[in-house]
Amino acid sequence: MDLHTALLFCATVFPLICTPGPDMLFVASQSLGGGAAAGLRATAGVCAGYLLHSLLAALGLAALVAASPLLFQALRWIGVAYLAWLAFKLLRAALRPGALELRAAGARADALRRGFLTAALNPKGMMIYLAILPQFMRADAPAAPQAIALSAVFVAGCGLVYAALSLLLGRGARGGAGDQPKLGGRRRRWIDGVAGGLIAAAAGKLALS
């Protein structure tokens, strides 16, 4: 995998990692309820769940390329369509007002196991591995090493972002009473808008490449 492909993949998946979804909200809830340690355990569980996706993707995509390069290309176009749909949803959400409330979960609530299940059953994660990864892989090269390398980039990104979130929210987790933290409406709309624009640009570039 060359540097250009790696950077393009990072630019595509980073907005997805930073967009609030089941994984991020679970890590946030554990951090608020049990402190940074609980959030970090949840992060480890989420990363373990995506490692399972990595193994399945490496094996499945290798078999797919060997069986039908044409089917492999069809999967790439499904990924382009999925990215375009995600971009549309994020840009539409950016036009709607409203804050995102982060609710605390019970402290030390088996965060590792639940984090694993959250990631393993997350449709967004499944689509990243089944529809987006193939767009950054060469059909004339072994699929398994490419899938493993791209998966490592994605899992590392999740680990860094969610660990930082755990430490940030965990600092105030034991502060006691008060309203649950919120992601302000303006900030939430800004994040959705930027993420949607970046994903739309990535979909366009991949469709024309």
Side-chain angles (χ1 to χ4, degrees):
M1 182 174 58
D2 58 65
L3 180 60
H4 177 267
T5 300
L7 292 176
L8 182 58
F9 179 72
C10 289
T12 301
V13 298
F14 187 72
L16 293 176
I17 295 173
C18 294
T19 301
D23 299 337
M24 179 176 286
L25 294 179
F26 175 71
V27 171
S29 70
Q30 292 299 308
S31 301
L32 291 170
L40 292 174
R41 285 195 295 271
T43 297
V46 168
C47 290
Y50 282 129
L51 286 176
L52 174 62
H53 283 299
S54 301
L55 178 61
L56 296 177
L59 297 176
L61 290 174
L64 179 62
V65 173
S68 174
L70 183 61
L71 184 59
F72 182 79
Q73 291 299 321
L75 192 59
R76 289 190 63 202
W77 281 103
I78 292 174
V80 171
Y82 175 67
L83 284 174
W85 177 73
L86 276 180
F88 170 75
K89 286 186 61 179
L90 287 169
L91 292 173
R92 184 177 62 179
L95 298 176
R96 294 198 301 263
L100 178 65
E101 184 173 347
L102 304 176
R103 298 184 178 277
R108 305 182 184 278
D110 197 7
L112 184 65
R113 177 182 62 84
R114 291 176 61 194
F116 173 81
L117 293 175
T118 298
L121 301 177
N122 184 0
K124 182 178 77 172
M126 295 178 187
M127 287 302 297
I128 287 173
Y129 281 98
L130 295 178
I132 297 178
L133 249 69
Q135 301 182 64
F136 299 89
M137 297 168 59
R138 292 170 49 194
D140 60 346
Q146 295 181 79
I148 292 173
L150 292 169
S151 299
V153 172
F154 175 70
V155 174
C158 288
L160 290 174
V161 171
Y162 296 162
L165 180 67
S166 299
L167 296 174
L168 178 64
L169 295 180
R171 291 177 59 185
R174 305 194 183 280
D179 296 334
Q180 297 292 355
K182 293 184 178 181
L183 182 63
R186 178 176 297 179
R187 183 175 299 176
R188 195 267 312 160
R189 293 173 67 183
W190 184 85
I191 292 174
D192 285 344
V194 171
L198 290 174
I199 293 172
K205 181 173 179 60
L206 292 170
L208 298 174
S209 62

